[in-house]
Amino acid sequence: MTTEDLTRAFKAFPPSSKYTAHSPKRGAIDHLVRKAVEGRIPAAIIPMLAKHSWRLHDFPETTIRYVSDKPALARLLGTQDATVHL
């Protein structure tokens, strides 16, 4: 689902019409921050999962953008440790 598709879906359903495509991402990040505070996941993987930062890895961001096998990329980065909590 694209960002536009999600925004359209929110607007089509009046109770969710105030939300944007960033709303679920914000909620997911809040949830993962709580998991990191509990010590259940490393805090460093949250920005990687949110696609905000790749600096913790040796792979340049431009190289990562070329990866089409997203499940393999998640395993490579270790972000599956966070997504299991979502």
Side-chain angles (χ1 to χ4, degrees), residues 5 17 25-26 30 40 42 66-67 71 84:
D5 291 339
S17 62
K25 188 173 186 177
R26 178 181 298 273
D30 282 345
R40 298 184 71 184
Y66 279 92
V67 177
V84 72

Side-chain angles (χ1 to χ4, degrees), residues 32-66:
L32 293 175
V33 165
R34 289 189 291 275
K35 295 296 178 186
V37 168
E38 295 169 3
R40 298 184 71 184
I41 62 169
I45 63 175
I46 297 170
M48 291 184 295
L49 182 67
K51 296 183 176 79
H52 292 159
S53 173
W54 303 107
R55 283 178 250 158
L56 299 173
H57 287 276
D58 295 331
F59 288 88
E61 183 178 348
T62 50
T63 303
I64 289 178
R65 282 189 291 216
Y66 279 92

Side-chain angles (χ1 to χ4, degrees), residues 3-32:
T3 301
E4 290 175 7
D5 291 339
L6 187 56
T7 301
R8 237 186 324 275
F10 281 144
K11 292 196 183 317
F13 186 64
S16 66
S17 62
K18 66 181 179 179
Y19 298 115
T20 70
H22 292 283
S23 299
K25 188 173 186 177
R26 178 181 298 273
I29 291 172
D30 282 345
H31 180 73
L32 293 175

